Amino acid sequence: MLYQIILKNFKSSWKNYFVYFTGNIIGVAEFFVFLGLYSVSKVIMKDASADFGTIQDIMFACILVCIFSVAIMTYSMQKFMRLRLREYQLFYVLGMKRRKMYGMILFEYFSGCLGTLFAGMLAGRLMLGGVLKAWHYFFSEYIRRVPITVSVYMDTCKLSVAVFLAVAFSLLVWADNHGLQDLMNDGKKKEKKPQSRKWLVFTVAGVLLIAAGYWIYARYSLDYGYLFSHLFLNFGTFFVVLFGGGILLEILHKRRKFYLKHLLGLNGLYSRYQSNMLFFLMIFTVQFAAVGYCGVQIAEILPISGQEKYFPYDAVWMGKDTGENQNFVNQCVKEYEGSVKKFPMIRVSGYSVELVGISEKTYEQLSGKQVHLKNKEIVYIQNEYKTYNGKKVIMGAMDYGRKGYTWLMPGSFDKEKDEYVSPESNHPIASKDWDHLYRMKRIEAGNWFGKYRIGVEAENVVVFSENYFNKWHEKLKKEKEEPDLLYLFSFPNRTEKQGTKELQKYVNKYGNQDYGLTDEVQKTLYVTATFVTELEKSLLFQLSNKAFFFLALLVSGNFALFVKTASELPDYRKRYEFLSCMGITKKMKKRTLAWEVKLLPEITTAAVLLLSAGYVEMEKIRESYLGVVHGREVWIYWGCLSAGYILLTEVMLELLKKWVAKRVEEGNRR
């Protein structure tokens, strides 16, 4: 008889539990999608003919979404368990043993978890399949179709089951130690908010954390400093809102006239402010990742078209200075009405990359500046699209082993050099390998020839002293496959296609060998039109992924708000009934409910936008340290994206407000 009552109770209340199981489904689906994207991307990026530069973004998004998924699953299932424990109190009073009661709750819990696990994996499989099909459809000439491996299913199951077990164990231990009555009173205890002005020290600490986060972010690339900067920004904002907001509410509370005038709107926030702060931290982190991190990355990518303006030449060929080559070049530019510039050069190898080595004299011709180099001193030029020649670079250059030095080997990155830098080799590490360490006298950005790689180092320029360059130039020009002359071709628009096609045909037949051992596929001939097409495809690929991350994070954050609001429906109904008993008009009751539903999300939105605005400026400073110069267009694109974010959030809140009002009125009529 008791089991029949329990079953009927569960059936009659399934709508109350549906939202919590939906939260579980969303969490499992996000696990599956982002673990799958990370697994598939590792294979795709390895085989891509162009550097799509997305694996680190996917890894970052995967970590973030997995953390959020754990949080939303934990929150959803905690609410479900607490609700069921409250309802089971009746059966406990009727004589059900505690052990049997917990057993029944766990049976319901894990039955629901098993169902949501399969439903979430099915939903995630459909979403991931759609993303991969879109990848293959739009980028089939660059990436191949990669199947979803069994490990994605296994990793999703392991993570999900770990969350289920952790929630069940922690809540049952808590319930056993505190008693069921504490669950009945959950959320109704009087809060102890920071009231004294001495708590301002934590608000100031939050401001200092934000400032430190900005400072570290501007000066560190993808390393531990980069990670800590984001943690400082998030926790600094949390401190400011928690302590500063709490003190502000206490100040308003003491202003009786103002507080009583806005009592209905402020009391809900005042009475549960501290209880909402951990939820605020979760939502804020996700939304800041969307508007701040993804928003800035999207703003920097745009616009995708028009990339050819960053390339001063129609083709760049690193070839041999032979009579045959010279005859062909002269004939080609004459036939197609073009022009060619020639500079002596050598190939220079770094760690799994190849660079362009030029002499001090060539540097002076290109830059109009003199530089006095001695022995193994070099000037290191980072090729960047959005920069100006001579822009000082503060960080991000090839600084290996010792500060101010970099590891280089003259010559192409052949099999011998690949084995030399291999971790399995017995050669000394960079900081001890003095034979191949070069002192960087100056590091600057430039775009003399065009940046024909998307990576940081490949095809950058190294300037050697005149004597040192001539020594290696004479030595390497004797090697058959070593290029020693840089040919820079320009053609009129009407003959560009034919001229570069003829050049490509000649290089394929008579040009130098491309060893293909570098991490990024590098060549001795770059045709601008072909490369720009690949580049724009790459930018579109990155944009589509960041837009997907942006929407996924935004939807996840708004769904978490829905779960929280749905879990508080009983409280809304009680307050609505109380307001009715006090004679408050229906219009005022709806306005009060709307205020309570929207106030915390709007505080979150304001905090996200304020912190993200500073993030945009710090990103511009960080990019400037790397040699990249961004104009005000980054602010324009980010502003448009933020406006879209505000619009979507407000639409969600309006729908949520109307849904709460409808459910509250339906509940009170019953």
Side-chain angles (χ1 to χ4, degrees), residues 270-464:
Y270 177 82
S271 60
R272 305 196 65 184
Y273 186 75
Q274 197 169 1
S275 304
N276 287 324
M277 279 300 99
L278 287 178
F279 187 81
F280 164 84
L281 178 62
M282 179 176 70
I283 300 299
F284 172 82
T285 301
V286 172
Q287 304 292 39
F288 175 64
V291 180
Y293 176 77
C294 289
V296 170
Q297 298 292 320
I298 291 172
E300 286 182 343
I301 291 173
L302 296 172
I304 292 176
S305 60
Q307 298 298 320
E308 60 275 357
K309 67 183 179 183
Y310 297 119
F311 295 86
Y313 301 101
D314 295 317
V316 173
W317 178 31
M318 288 165 272
K320 299 293 289 183
D321 185 9
T322 64
E324 293 83 359
N325 288 349
Q326 293 289 358
N327 290 335
F328 166 77
V329 168
N330 294 333
Q331 180 182 352
C332 182
V333 296
K334 181 179 180 180
E335 181 177 354
Y336 297 104
E337 304 176 24
S339 62
V340 63
K341 294 180 181 179
K342 305 171 187 177
F343 295 101
M345 58 84 64
I346 60 172
R347 264 302 195 191
V348 183
S349 295
Y351 277 98
S352 295
V353 293
E354 290 181 328
L355 304 102
V356 178
I358 62 174
S359 68
E360 184 178 348
K361 181 180 179 181
T362 302
Y363 172 83
E364 292 174 0
Q365 290 176 350
L366 292 169
S367 67
K369 297 183 296 184
Q370 288 189 343
V371 57
H372 302 287
L373 300 175
K374 298 178 182 178
N375 300 323
K376 293 174 69 177
E377 290 182 336
I378 63 171
V379 174
Y380 188 82
I381 314 293
Q382 289 198 165
N383 283 328
E384 292 293 345
Y385 299 122
K386 301 174 182 179
T387 189
Y388 56 85
N389 292 326
K391 172 74 173 70
K392 186 178 180 182
V393 175
I394 296 177
M395 64 179 191
M398 294 199 312
D399 193 347
Y400 292 131
R402 293 176 179 270
K403 185 164 182 63
Y405 286 84
T406 190
W407 187 96
L408 296 172
M409 292 182 72
S412 300
F413 194 76
D414 54 16
K415 186 176 180 181
E416 180 182 350
K417 294 183 179 64
D418 187 37
E419 292 175 351
Y420 189 92
V421 301
S422 173
E424 289 78 23
S425 69
N426 294 320
H427 294 290
I429 60 176
S431 60
K432 304 293 183 181
D433 193 6
W434 279 104
D435 290 340
H436 301 105
L437 282 178
Y438 292 78
R439 190 174 81 84
M440 294 187 289
K441 185 174 183 179
R442 186 185 304 167
I443 307 169
E444 57 188 50
N447 193 31
W448 292 328
F449 315 124
K451 183 184 175 185
Y452 289 95
R453 281 299 98 198
I454 301 172
V456 175
E457 296 173 1
E459 306 300 2
N460 284 341
V461 179
V462 182
V463 183
F464 295 97

Side-chain angles (χ1 to χ4, degrees), residues 473-519:
H473 189 256
E474 290 298 320
K475 181 178 180 180
L476 292 173
K477 71 186 303 183
K478 298 175 183 177
E479 302 290 334
K480 181 180 179 182
E481 297 301 333
E482 288 289 350
D484 55 47
L485 193 62
L486 190 64
Y487 299 89
L488 309 175
F489 293 88
S490 298
F491 296 99
N493 291 336
R494 64 181 182 279
T495 61
E496 176 191 345
K497 189 173 181 180
Q498 298 95 319
T500 54
K501 184 178 180 181
E502 191 70 21
L503 177 61
Q504 181 73 71
K505 183 179 177 181
Y506 179 85
V507 172
N508 289 342
K509 189 174 182 179
Y510 302 106
N512 303 88
Q513 175 184 353
D514 294 323
Y515 290 105
L517 299 175
T518 53
D519 288 343

